[in-house]
Amino acid sequence: MATLDSSQLWTPPEPLHHPDSPLSKAFQQPLMLGLFLPLQTGGWSQSTLPRGTDWSYAYNAKLTKQAEALGFDVVFGLSQWLPKGGFGGEAHYRENFLDPFVSTVALAAETKRILLLGTIHVLYGPWHPMHLARFLATADHISQGRFGANIVTGYAENEPRMFGATRLDHDSRYDRSAEFIRICNALWSGEDNLTYQGEYYALEDAYVSPRPLYGRPVLASASGSPAGFQYAARYSDIVFVSSPAGEKLADALPKLPAHVAAVKDAATAQQRQVRVIINPTIIVRPTREEALAYYQSIMDHADLGSIRNFYARHAAGDSVSWLEHSAKGRAVGGHLHIIGSPEEVAEQLRQLHATGIDGIQITFYDYEPELAYFGESVIPLLEQAGLRLPLDATN
Ligand SMILES: Cc1cc2nc3c(=O)[nH]c(=O)nc-3n(C[C@H](O)[C@H](O)[C@H](O)COP(=O)(O)O)c2cc1C
């Protein structure tokens, strides 16, 4: 079999080209709803105000089933590699960290409809495209087309050293990840045994089975940079963006349209489409005063020890996505803060959607009761506003 180069690699059909794929169904929603799973101690918020949020698998499985019953489209787990104690502080922030790939695959057995996204650092260690292509094809079958990989390149300075490597420069990481995923795509297309010689990887008579159910598994990435947007435009179905102007919605709203258009236009130039999702922390209470009082008590319990350590990591990293965020805001967490009564929260989400944002990946401070209240009080308002189709309309 001839040795292929990167321009000759086969590509499978995309899940969006199958109208019945779980991804196509989720994309029918004007505003996709995702839950950011707290698979790590402290979830997303660095505050010691007491709460029930827990990193255990059982708690996350319960949340996932709760989210699915409320009509959520996606659950998502992030991945970091942290030294002993995580970010420390009084909160022992992220001291325990369940692997999101393993956890979200396990959640397939507990659910029926919701998409399951787990993050993978493809450049760390001796990961080879063969591993990922077979693992994801398997996850695709276990989940019946609902599993998706959030492919990240690793912005942190210390993480690659844990794997005995040094970090590639920012844009080379995207080049290498692109080659990795192009090879996975070729393997998923299953045209023949693959013999390939590229810049970073080589394969000889390589093959993986089974074929994914809808061409390939769902692919996501998370970016704020031009190189990251180019990568997303070519390979991702979903792209996570952070706020280009910090966590205050009023500051972010004017800047988001151009930011979102940049990645969507890049996808259009590739004759593709991507959905853009952002991660707000939502604080919703019956009245604005109650929501603000709760917000204030989370801030008053800010865990400054772990916030300092979190910022030290980001200062040593080279992500352009987080630069605008305030240290104190980390007590609440999330890339945007959406606070208020149910009506105010629904209105803020309408404004966010009007910027071109296609979905929200929500973090809560105290997940279980706050997810329940969001479901009961905000989702009906989103339906009334035409931002959410009732469940049976998408099935
Ligand atoms: C919602 C969201 C989730 C992310 N999750 C992870 C993650 O789990 N692990 C990780 O290493 N980076 C994660 N990142 C960071 C991205 O991988 C990326 O480094 C960052 O967005 C900067 O991208 P850029 O270098 O293209 O600007 C996430 C980013 C966003 C916006």
Side-chain angles (χ1 to χ4, degrees):
M1 157 107 238
T3 302
L4 303 189
D5 66 30
S6 100
S7 67
Q8 298 165 312
L9 284 170
W10 313 300
T11 50
E14 305 205 1
L16 263 193
H17 297 158
H18 295 260
D20 291 339
S21 71
L23 186 72
S24 297
K25 288 183 182 163
F27 275 19
Q28 289 173 19
Q29 287 290 354
L31 183 73
M32 287 171 67
L33 288 182
L35 187 70
F36 219 129
L37 293 174
L39 291 166
Q40 58 289 331
T41 311
W44 263 87
S45 314
Q46 292 173 255
S47 171
T48 56
L49 184 72
R51 55 178 162 158
T53 298
D54 181 24
W55 59 271
S56 69
Y57 178 75
Y59 182 81
N60 279 278
K62 200 167 170 196
L63 289 180
T64 301
K65 286 187 263 193
Q66 193 185 349
E68 185 173 64
L70 290 171
F72 273 57
D73 307 294
V74 191
V75 288
F76 169 75
L78 88 148
S79 177
Q80 286 177 327
W81 301 85
L82 298 170
K84 182 173 162 61
F87 292 104
E90 267 185 74
H92 302 276
Y93 188 58
R94 297 190 177 171
E95 179 177 50
N96 293 293
F97 212 121
L98 292 181
D99 182 73
F101 178 30
V102 175
S103 305
T104 47
V105 172
L107 288 168
E110 316 239 14
T111 51
K112 290 204 159 47
R113 188 190 49 79
I114 201 162
L115 298 175
L116 307 154
L117 293 186
T119 300
I120 302 176
H121 290 94
V122 290
L123 303 185
Y124 292 169
W127 257 119
H128 191 278
M130 286 286 285
H131 288 116
L132 196 75
R134 188 158 83 173
F135 291 176
L136 294 198
T138 303
D140 182 81
H141 276 256
I142 292 172
S143 67
Q144 294 290 291
R146 292 184 292 131
F147 182 78
N150 176 38
I151 303 295
V152 294
T153 64
Y155 63 86
E157 191 263 338
N158 64 325
E159 285 186 348
R161 288 195 272 111
M162 290 193 188
F163 293 81
T166 46
R167 194 179 55 188
L168 286 175
D169 74 78
H170 183 275
D171 289 6
S172 303
R173 296 201 300 272
Y174 280 111
D175 286 345
R176 183 167 175 168
S177 300
E179 187 181 336
F180 194 109
I181 288 301
R182 279 208 305 275
I183 296 168
C184 289
N185 275 328
L187 291 166
W188 288 323
S189 81
E191 298 234 345
D192 205 342
N193 294 328
L194 175 63
T195 297
Y196 167 80
Q197 182 61 54
E199 194 176 342
Y200 299 101
Y201 301 99
L203 296 82
E204 187 177 322
D205 282 337
Y207 194 77
V208 298
S209 66
R211 303 268 65 67
L213 297 177
Y214 300 99
R216 62 160 169 73
V218 174
L219 292 174
S221 57
S223 288
S225 62
F229 280 0
Q230 279 304 323
Y231 171 93
R234 290 186 161 87
Y235 307 109
S236 306
D237 304 302
I238 291 173
V239 57
F240 295 105
V241 297
S242 60
S243 160
E247 67 269 14
K248 286 198 187 121
L249 185 66
D251 295 339
L253 285 175
K255 294 210 166 164
L256 273 169
H259 197 57
V260 174
V263 67
K264 288 193 176 176
D265 291 350
T268 307
Q270 302 295 324
Q271 281 99 46
R272 296 190 65 253
Q273 41 166 318
V274 292
R275 292 290 158 110
V276 181
I277 296 191
I278 200 161
N279 156 230
T281 292
I282 294 187
I283 296 183
V284 55
R285 286 286 194 266
T287 64
R288 177 173 177 74
E289 292 65 37
E290 286 166 275
L292 286 174
Y294 184 44
Y295 172 80
Q296 195 51 50
S297 40
I298 297 170
M299 293 294 262
D300 290 345
H301 288 78
D303 182 30
L304 297 177
S306 72
I307 289 176
R308 237 187 323 272
N309 294 335
F310 188 89
Y311 268 83
R313 172 188 164 105
H314 283 275
D318 65 359
S319 154
V320 301
S321 284
W322 317 78
L323 299 178
E324 309 293 337
H325 287 72
S326 77
K328 199 84 198 289
R330 287 286 324 156
V332 170
H335 293 137
L336 282 174
H337 294 170
I338 294 201
I339 305 164
S341 66
E343 292 72 20
E344 288 166 332
V345 166
E347 170 55 19
Q348 291 174 70
L349 295 180
R350 190 197 61 72
Q351 292 173 7
L352 199 53
H353 181 254
T355 67
I357 287 285
D358 300 301
I360 49 172
Q361 193 65 36
I362 308 175
T363 45
F364 292 108
Y365 186 72
D366 192 354
Y367 271 75
E368 203 180 334
E370 294 177 23
L371 171 60
Y373 187 60
F374 176 84
E376 151 197 334
S377 68
V378 180
I379 291 182
L381 299 175
L382 297 178
E383 288 179 1
Q384 279 169 30
L387 292 173
R388 293 289 299 170
L389 305 174
L391 258 193
D392 48 5
T394 60
N395 283 321

